[in-house]
């Protein structure tokens, strides 16, 4: 239970953040062609003073809603400034470019990645505390301080850099559909120029890859596993948002890619920094939880189903209808966790299996009372209510993996 107390605070933060969860769906017009940067579309116009892709409309548009008149007007409960920094609905208008850049990275979405790194560290069984109250042999201050710093750097990699890169490039390719679903976002609102967005994408990507290589050196890896995971994750992020593959256009591929990016990749990163990924179970369990993550991705799609349908995006709620998608969501979240609990029991860890089952029960309750009756109206409330139990279940599984002797 080495990281359980530290993890509790993170889970509570995630619980609150779930109420601000935002969609990542979108589509880019096929008429755009890529430049030498493979990101910035070429444009034909006579204006030279701006790279902004959406000129200020002079009359009402079906694809560009004003910040003042659209459905995402500034929150009047005093939270507009915080919402702007987190990058969520109800944000206040902002002109400070640094705050706008931060908003573009959607800091609220960093939390699951940070949690995933924490779970990977727990699964390694090799994370050391500066002073562990549960283990008298784990009280080496210097070693614990080094591990704490190493874990913090891994969280910076997974959160601000690579998740920030993912969210920025996603917003870049989503700027048309965001003008419908989330017109307060920095790009469709005109708060940041195209050139500034492209620069941010490259800084976050290259900075993240540099940090990943540094972690490999720090951990003494002969093979740069953290760097390879980071390159793979960055590639998945790119093809998730960008044509011609644009995984998000396929409901199954897009939703699973999203789930894997938020669960499997940070878990593997954390475990690689502190341990080894030398057994199949270390790969299989995070992938199973990524199937549960697919269900969470479906929940995020409910609120943008109209915009997705208008833009031709085949999200699962569009493909199967809201009624079909809500059952896919509930099934993927619940059945995969039940499968993991059964696995923990059969490897001789009944206590961890029982703890996981206890965390699944309230999720089923919230599915029955919130998700299944009305997934569109209750999407945020369901996330805020059920998701903390899911993430604690991931931590319980990781602690079990770190505790279990697979060589016995």
């Amino acid at each position: 239970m080495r990281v359980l107390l530290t993890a509790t605070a993170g889970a509570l933060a995630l619980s609150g953040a779930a109420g601000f969860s935002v969609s990542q769906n979108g589509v880019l017009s096929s008429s755009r062609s890529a430049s030498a940067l493979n990101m910035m579309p070429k444009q034909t116009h006579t204006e030279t003073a701006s790279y902004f892709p959406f000129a200020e409309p002079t009359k009402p548009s079906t694809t560009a809603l004003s910040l003042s008149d659209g459905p995402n007007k500034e929150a009047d409960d005093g939270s507009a400034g915080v919402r702007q920094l987190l990058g969520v609905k109800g944000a206040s208008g902002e002109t400070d470019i640094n705050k706008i850049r931060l908003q573009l990275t959607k800091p609220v979405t960093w939390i699951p990645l940070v949690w995933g790194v924490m779970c990977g560290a727990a699964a390694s069984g090799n994370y050391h505390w500066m002073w562990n109250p549960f283990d008298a042999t784990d009280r080496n201050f210097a070693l614990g301080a080094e591990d704490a710093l190493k874990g913090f750097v891994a969280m910076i990699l997974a959160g601000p850099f690579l998740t920030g890169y993912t969210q920025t490039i996603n917003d870049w390719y989503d700027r048309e559909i965001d003008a419908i679903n989330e017109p307060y976002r920095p790009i469709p609102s005109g708060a940041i120029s195209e050139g500034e967005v492209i620069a941010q994408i490259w800084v976050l990507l290259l900075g993240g890859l540099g940090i990943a290589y540094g972690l490999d050196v720090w951990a003494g890896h002969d093979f740069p596993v953290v760097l390879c995971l980071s390159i793979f994750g960055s590639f998945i992020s790119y093809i998730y948002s960008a044509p011609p593959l644009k995984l998000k256009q396929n409901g199954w591929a897009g939703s699973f890619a999203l789930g894997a990016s938020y669960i499997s990749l940070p878990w593997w990163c954390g475990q690689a920094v502190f341990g080894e990924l030398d057994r199949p179970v270390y790969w299989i369990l995070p992938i199973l939880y990524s199937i549960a993550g697919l269900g969470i991705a479906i929940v995020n799609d409910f609120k943008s189903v109209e915009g997705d349908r208008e833009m031709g995006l085949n999200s699962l709620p569009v493909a199967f209808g809201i009624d079909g998608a809500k059952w896919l969501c509930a099934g993927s979240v619940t059945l995969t966790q039940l499968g993991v609990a059964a696995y923990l029991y059969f490897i001789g860890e009944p206590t961890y299996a029982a703890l996981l089952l206890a965390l699944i029960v309230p999720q089923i309750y919230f599915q029955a009372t919130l998700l299944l009756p009305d997934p569109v109206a209750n999407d945020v409330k369901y996330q805020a209510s059920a998701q903390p139990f899911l993430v604690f279940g991931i931590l319980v599984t990781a602690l079990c993996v770190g505790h279990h002797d697979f060589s016995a």
Side-chain angles (χ1 to χ4, degrees):
M1 297 294 182
R2 293 173 175 169
V3 300
L4 186 56
L5 292 181
T6 305
T8 302
L12 293 176
L14 178 58
S15 173
F20 292 116
S21 115
V22 292
S23 173
Q24 302 197 28
N25 298 317
V27 64
L28 178 67
S29 170
S30 60
S31 64
R32 293 193 175 93
S33 59
S35 71
L37 288 174
N38 292 323
M39 295 180 190
M40 183 179 292
K42 297 177 182 178
Q43 298 181 3
T44 302
H45 55 70
T46 58
E47 297 181 13
T48 59
S50 173
Y51 293 96
F52 181 55
F54 299 106
E56 185 70 20
T58 58
K59 60 182 179 179
S61 168
T62 59
T63 59
L65 305 177
S66 73
L67 287 174
S68 59
D69 297 329
N72 298 298
K73 66 179 181 179
E74 182 175 325
D76 57 6
D77 58 1
S79 66
V82 174
R83 289 169 181 266
Q84 188 278 326
L85 291 176
L86 292 176
V88 298
K89 186 174 180 178
S92 63
E94 184 57 64
T95 58
D96 186 324
I97 188 61
N98 292 318
K99 290 183 179 180
I100 292 169
R101 287 189 182 280
L102 181 63
Q103 180 185 7
L104 196 60
T105 65
K106 292 183 182 175
V108 72
T109 64
W110 303 350
I111 300 172
L113 281 292
V114 169
W115 185 266
V117 170
M118 187 185 303
C119 290
S124 74
N126 197 40
Y127 179 86
H128 301 90
W129 288 42
M130 287 179 278
W131 196 89
N132 189 341
F134 305 106
D135 186 353
T137 65
D138 184 23
R139 296 177 182 176
N140 185 321
F141 182 86
L143 183 59
E146 181 182 4
D147 278 4
L149 182 59
K150 194 183 296 183
F152 177 75
V153 173
M155 291 174 183
I156 293 296
L157 166 66
F161 276 87
L162 293 188
T163 305
Y165 156 79
T166 298
Q167 297 295 348
T168 304
I169 199 170
N170 185 73
D171 269 24
W172 171 252
Y173 285 109
D174 274 7
R175 55 196 186 274
E176 283 193 344
I177 198 168
D178 279 350
I180 299 172
N181 292 331
E182 300 178 276
Y184 60 91
R185 297 295 302 152
I187 298 175
S189 71
I192 188 169
S193 72
E194 290 187 356
E196 290 169 326
V197 174
I198 294 299
Q200 177 161 319
I201 289 171
W202 282 110
V203 167
L204 292 174
L205 174 60
L206 297 179
L209 296 182
I211 292 173
Y213 181 73
L215 283 170
D216 279 317
V217 174
W218 194 354
H221 293 157
D222 295 328
F223 178 79
V225 59
V226 179
L227 176 61
C228 288
L229 287 169
S230 299
I231 292 173
F232 176 72
S234 300
F235 173 71
I236 294 298
S237 297
Y238 179 78
I239 65 174
Y240 174 82
S241 298
L245 294 180
K246 206 171 183 71
L247 297 181
K248 65 170 62 181
Q249 290 181 326
N250 181 306
W252 289 109
S255 295
F256 184 76
L258 196 61
S261 297
Y262 272 72
I263 298 176
S264 295
L265 287 170
W267 176 316
W268 292 330
C269 174
Q271 187 161 353
V273 167
F274 294 100
E276 301 289 339
L277 292 169
D278 55 356
R279 294 180 181 276
V281 66
Y282 299 151
W283 300 92
I284 293 172
L285 285 178
I287 289 174
L288 288 176
Y289 270 112
S290 294
I291 297 174
L294 180 149
I296 301 302
I298 295 173
V299 176
N300 287 335
D301 287 341
F302 284 125
K303 60 177 169 290
S304 57
V305 64
E306 293 303 324
D308 293 346
R309 186 178 290 114
E310 180 177 338
M311 298 299 292
L313 178 61
N314 194 35
S315 66
L316 292 178
V318 172
F320 290 90
I322 290 176
D323 286 340
K326 70 184 182 183
W327 286 103
L328 284 174
C329 173
S332 63
V333 170
T334 303
L335 294 179
T336 52
Q337 291 183 89
L338 290 174
V340 172
Y343 170 76
L344 299 185
Y345 178 82
F346 283 112
I347 64 172
E349 299 287 355
T351 301
Y352 285 102
L355 284 172
L356 184 54
L357 285 173
L359 291 167
I360 295 172
V361 171
Q363 295 178 63
I364 295 174
Y365 169 78
F366 290 122
Q367 288 168 3
T369 58
L370 295 174
L371 177 67
L372 297 179
D374 192 342
V376 177
N378 297 329
D379 61 341
V380 173
K381 189 173 182 180
Y382 168 72
Q383 292 266 48
S385 301
Q387 193 164 315
F389 296 98
L390 171 63
V391 298
F392 265 118
I394 297 173
L395 178 61
V396 166
T397 303
L399 289 168
C400 179
V401 170
H403 168 269
H404 187 74
D405 183 3
F406 287 98
S407 63

